[in-house]
């Protein structure tokens, strides 16, 4: 039987990444490709050069993501079945990838960048790993990156619940109102970028009432017949 490719997109703060990591425990012979982390790695690397976000957005309009990856020596690898990003041979730590600054930068950059070469790059990576593993892919625009997804999930939750989860993630170091406005802003940017789209085969999963990540993962799993 051919290995599965399970695509999972989600609204900001819906717990998409945590759900994907939980699915690693549920889907046999699986690995996780985090497209969002690759984009975050690019954003972090660019911001670390000292350029500000507005200047970066202006310069991104004629640059494709794959070129940036090559210039900044950004590499994607799989360690312990999960995505790890390196910049010039040095690992970019998860807390830097998931910071509020990197997350907002990703939303802004993806809105103006030429993503076509990045999509082709992602498609090749998925095909490469699919030969050996069931591939769980987390990110945006997954149907455009890989139209042959066996499953395409869109995870959602209420705004209040997403704010609550993000506050926990940031250890309440950012005010609830600031987190809320950040999510609203990122939602708007994502929608303007054409994300959060539902296709004919998209399965919408609402995890608002799920008390744990395991519960959320089970909501996804119940739609996957092969597991």
């Amino acid at each position: 039987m051919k290995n599965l490719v399970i695509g999972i997109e989600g609204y900001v703060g819906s717990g998409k990444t945590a759900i994907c990591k939980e699915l690693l425990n549920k889907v046999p012979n699986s690995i996780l490709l985090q497209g969002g982390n690759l984009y975050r790695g690019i954003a972090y690397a660019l911001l670390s050069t000292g350029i500000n976000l507005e200047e970066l957005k202006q310069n991104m309009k004629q640059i494709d993501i794959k070129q940036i990856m090559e210039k900044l020596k950004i590499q994607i690898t799989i360690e312990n079945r999960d995505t790890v990003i390196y910049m010039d041979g040095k690992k970019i730590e998860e807390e830097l990838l998931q910071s509020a600054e990197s997350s907002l930068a990703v939303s802004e950059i993806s809105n103006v960048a030429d993503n076509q070469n990045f999509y082709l790059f992602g498609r090749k990576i998925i095909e490469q790993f699919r030969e050996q593993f069931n591939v769980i892919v987390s990110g945006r625009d997954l149907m455009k990156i890989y139209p042959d997804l066996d499953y395409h999930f869109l995870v959602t939750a209420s705004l209040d619940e997403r704010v609550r989860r993000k506050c926990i993630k940031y250890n309440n170091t950012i005010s609830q109102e600031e987190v809320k406005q950040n999510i609203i802003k990122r939602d708007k940017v994502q929608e303007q970028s054409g994300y959060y789209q539902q296709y004919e085969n998209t399965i919408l999963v609402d995890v608002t009432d799920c008390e744990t990540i395991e519960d959320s993962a089970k909501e996804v799993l119940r739609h996957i017949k092969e597991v």
Side-chain angles (χ1 to χ4, degrees):
M1 182 182 293
K2 192 174 183 179
N3 289 320
L4 297 175
V5 180
I6 303 168
I8 301 183
E9 302 190 41
Y11 281 76
V12 176
S14 62
K16 173 191 65 185
T17 301
I19 290 170
C20 288
K21 291 183 177 181
E22 181 64 27
L23 287 174
L24 284 175
N25 300 321
K26 310 291 186 183
V27 178
N29 190 39
S30 61
I31 62 167
L32 172 58
L33 286 175
Q34 295 193 57
N37 267 12
L38 181 52
Y39 234 128
R40 283 185 171 90
I42 293 165
Y44 172 78
L46 287 167
L47 292 173
S48 69
T49 65
I51 190 171
N52 65 52
L53 184 55
E54 289 305 314
E55 186 180 355
L56 180 58
K57 286 164 59 180
Q58 292 176 9
N59 293 334
M60 286 289 290
K61 293 181 180 179
Q62 303 301 323
I63 300 175
D64 71 67
I65 294 298
K66 191 170 183 295
Q67 286 180 340
I68 293 174
M69 288 177 59
E70 292 171 352
K71 183 177 181 179
L72 297 175
K73 299 180 181 179
I74 296 172
Q75 296 178 310
I76 177 173
T77 64
I78 298 294
E79 296 178 7
N80 297 319
R81 301 168 64 199
D82 199 355
T83 307
V84 176
I85 309 299
Y86 284 84
M87 180 177 67
D88 198 14
K90 184 177 180 181
K91 180 179 177 181
I92 305 177
E93 296 299 333
E94 182 76 9
E95 57 266 27
L96 295 176
L97 292 174
Q98 297 294 336
S99 69
E101 181 183 23
S102 291
S103 295
L104 183 57
V106 166
S107 297
E108 298 278 7
I109 291 170
S110 63
N111 197 28
V112 296
D114 178 358
N115 292 307
Q116 294 308 310
N117 285 342
F118 178 70
Y119 291 170
L120 290 172
F121 173 75
R123 194 171 304 161
K124 289 178 181 178
I125 291 178
I126 293 170
E127 286 291 352
Q128 174 189 335
F129 284 115
R130 185 178 194 172
E131 293 179 4
Q132 299 180 21
F133 305 102
N134 290 311
V135 182
I136 301 167
V137 188
S138 167
R140 310 288 184 202
D141 251 4
L142 296 183
M143 285 295 293
K144 293 181 181 178
I145 295 173
Y146 199 79
D148 295 328
L149 289 172
D150 294 287
Y151 293 94
H152 179 240
F153 293 98
L154 178 60
V155 181
T156 186
S158 69
L159 177 59
D160 286 345
E161 179 61 17
R162 291 190 286 143
V163 169
R164 187 186 72 83
R165 294 180 185 187
K166 276 294 185 183
C167 285
I168 293 173
K169 184 175 182 178
Y170 296 141
N171 296 315
N172 294 310
T173 56
I174 304 175
S175 72
Q176 186 172 337
E177 182 59 29
E178 187 176 352
V179 170
K180 182 177 182 179
Q181 293 306 316
N182 182 277
I183 289 177
I184 291 172
K185 182 176 181 179
R186 286 180 61 195
D187 275 347
K188 183 177 180 180
V189 172
Q190 301 282 25
E191 289 168 357
Q192 289 173 343
S193 301
Y195 303 147
Y196 297 158
Q197 285 191 41
Q198 296 187 47
Y199 298 83
E200 186 176 346
N201 63 330
T202 301
I203 301 170
L204 185 66
V205 179
D206 192 325
V207 297
T208 301
D209 296 327
C210 293
E211 295 184 1
T212 66
I213 291 301
E214 185 175 8
D215 290 341
S216 296
K218 285 179 179 178
E219 280 296 304
V220 172
L221 274 173
R222 68 187 183 90
H223 296 282
I224 303 177
K225 299 174 183 177
E226 293 86 348
V227 177

